[in-house]
């Protein structure tokens, strides 16, 4: 018996529930499996075995006392009265049995008629198929630790260069873009069955962003979502849960622009996007003005 089994035995004896992880983390070692040893019952001594047999033995049956012979009936009048009473009892029992038989037949006929008229339909007890998790992927980066940029799918190098040029022209990001992170859901290849796929996907995306915020010390203020509603963005539009320019999944205000891939060809789409970029640049400047920067005294 290894140490894991001993530990679980102690926890079970103390009434403490042992918890195990629900999902296997990516690149994590598998949990060490252990076998429970079945405890064999201790042999019972001969004396206790004999006592158990005596306790389980049935009690002796008591013999019913023999019925005493009926007293002899001497008078002929008593014999005649006894015979008349037996005849009356026999005729009465026959009539009662016939009435009961007729009543049973009538009740059976009524049950057959009721079943034929009101027959209940058969209930389908086939178990429902287990739900499968939603599948999606996205690319994200953060501008100055404040504005989160998201796009469905994997952002190509051309799309990253186009995004850098647009932000530079609008005066939002003058330096190079931060590293782009790719996120895929579900995290495991062997997707598990879930009760509510949409809620699981929202919780997974929120946990991923919360982890990046904690590690990179971000202070998110706004979400820039590049992509129009459609088949390409589904199911990301439902997962972000955007209503009235607010993402309820990430608790951030949303600015939405066209997909970067649609801006690679031609200049018409870029020209149409320029007024929205100017308004976004003004919002960036207003947010910068509200941040107080520490002054450095050179003397």
């Amino acid at each position: 018996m290894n140490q894991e089994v001993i530990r679980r035995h102690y926890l079970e004896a103390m009434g403490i529930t042992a918890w195990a992880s629900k999902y296997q983390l990516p690149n994590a070692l598998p949990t060490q499996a252990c076998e429970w040893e079945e405890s064999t019952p201790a042999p019972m001594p001969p004396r206790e075995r004999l006592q158990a047999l005596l306790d389980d033995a049935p009690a002796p049956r008591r013999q019913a006392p023999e019925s005493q012979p009926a007293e002899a009936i001497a008078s002929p009048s008593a014999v005649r009265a006894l015979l008349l009473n037996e005849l009356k009892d026999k005729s009465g029992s026959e009539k009662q049995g016939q009435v009961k038989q007729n009543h049973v037949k009538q009740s059976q006929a009524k049950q057959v008629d009721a079943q034929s008229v009101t027959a209940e339909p058969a209930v389908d007890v086939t178990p429902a198929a287990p739900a499968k998790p939603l599948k999606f992927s996205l690319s994200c980066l953060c501008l100055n630790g404040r504005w989160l940029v998201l796009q469905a799918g994997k952002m190509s190098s051309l799309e990253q260069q186009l995004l850098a040029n647009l932000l530079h022209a609008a005066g939002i990001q003058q330096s190079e873009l931060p590293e782009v992170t790719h996120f895929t859901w579900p995290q495991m290849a062997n997707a598990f069955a879930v009760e509510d796929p949409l809620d699981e996907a929202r919780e997974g995306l929120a946990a991923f962003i919360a982890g990046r915020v904690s590690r990179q010390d971000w202070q998110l203020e706004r979400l820039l979502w590049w992509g129009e509603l459609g088949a390409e963005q589904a199911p990301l539009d439902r997962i972000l849960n955007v209503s009235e320019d607010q993402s309820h999944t990430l608790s951030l205000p949303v600015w939405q622009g066209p997909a970067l891939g649609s801006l690679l060809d031609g200049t018409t789409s870029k020209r149409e996007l320029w007024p929205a970029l100017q308004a976004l640049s003004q919002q960036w400047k207003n947010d910068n003005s509200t941040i107080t920067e520490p002054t450095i005294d050179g003397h």
Side-chain angles (χ1 to χ4, degrees):
M1 181 181 294
N2 55 20
Q3 297 296 328
E4 179 65 19
V5 176
I6 297 175
R7 185 183 69 86
R8 294 193 180 184
H9 273 303
Y10 274 112
L11 292 177
E12 184 179 358
M14 290 186 292
I16 300 176
T17 304
W19 296 91
S21 59
K22 182 178 179 182
Y23 310 127
Q24 181 181 354
L25 299 177
N27 302 324
L29 293 176
T31 304
Q32 296 181 358
C34 59
E35 298 181 357
W36 291 88
E37 295 185 359
E38 298 181 358
S39 57
T40 57
M44 185 181 297
R47 183 177 179 181
E48 295 182 2
R49 193 183 313 145
L50 178 59
Q51 185 65 32
L53 292 176
L54 293 176
D55 293 340
D56 296 340
R61 297 182 180 179
R62 295 182 178 179
Q63 296 182 357
E66 297 180 357
S67 59
Q68 299 179 358
E71 297 180 355
I73 302 176
S75 60
S77 58
V79 174
R80 190 182 302 109
L82 182 60
L83 291 176
L84 290 175
N85 291 334
E86 289 181 357
L87 291 174
K88 289 180 180 180
D89 294 340
K90 185 176 181 180
S91 60
S93 60
E94 289 179 356
K95 290 181 179 179
Q96 188 176 3
Q98 186 175 3
V99 171
K100 289 183 178 180
Q101 187 177 4
N102 295 335
H103 181 69
V104 171
K105 290 182 179 180
Q106 291 177 1
S107 61
Q108 290 179 354
K110 289 181 181 179
Q111 290 179 0
V112 171
D113 295 339
Q115 291 178 359
S116 61
V117 173
T118 59
E120 296 182 356
V123 180
D124 188 9
V125 293
T126 304
K132 294 183 179 181
L134 295 177
K135 295 182 179 181
F136 70 95
S137 63
L138 55 86
S139 301
C140 72
L141 57 94
C142 189
L143 304 177
N144 199 19
R146 296 162 44 206
W147 284 15
L148 181 65
V149 180
L150 290 184
Q151 177 177 276
K154 190 174 183 179
M155 189 181 299
S156 63
S157 57
L158 292 177
E159 292 174 345
Q160 294 181 31
Q161 185 63 38
L162 175 61
L163 177 62
N165 294 338
L166 293 175
L167 297 177
H168 181 76
I172 298 176
Q173 182 75 12
Q174 300 299 328
S175 58
E176 296 182 357
L177 285 180
E179 183 182 358
V180 178
T181 304
H182 188 63
F183 176 73
T184 304
W185 183 263
Q187 292 287 291
M188 295 181 295
N190 49 346
F192 46 86
V194 295
E195 297 179 358
D196 194 338
L198 184 57
D199 286 346
E200 290 278 352
R202 288 174 177 174
E203 291 177 1
L205 177 59
F208 167 72
I209 298 299
R212 301 290 297 180
V213 169
S214 176
R215 290 190 297 270
Q216 304 294 335
D217 197 17
W218 292 345
Q219 295 180 356
L220 298 181
E221 302 173 358
R222 187 174 299 275
L223 171 63
L224 305 185
W225 181 16
W226 294 90
E228 299 176 353
L229 295 178
E232 183 181 356
Q233 296 292 324
L236 188 59
D237 53 347
R238 293 187 296 155
I239 295 172
L240 290 175
N241 194 13
V242 178
S243 63
E244 298 180 356
D245 297 333
Q246 181 78 18
S247 173
H248 297 283
T249 301
L250 301 179
S251 301
L252 291 173
V254 178
W255 178 91
Q256 187 172 2
L260 294 174
S262 62
L263 299 175
L264 293 175
D265 299 333
T267 58
T268 304
S269 56
K270 300 184 183 66
R271 191 179 301 110
E272 295 175 353
L273 180 63
W274 181 245
L277 287 178
Q278 286 181 329
L280 191 63
S281 175
Q282 186 63 36
Q283 185 66 39
W284 176 268
K285 294 177 182 178
N286 294 338
D287 292 345
N288 282 336
S289 62
T290 58
I291 301 176
T292 58
E293 297 181 356
T295 58
I296 301 175
D297 191 2
H299 300 282

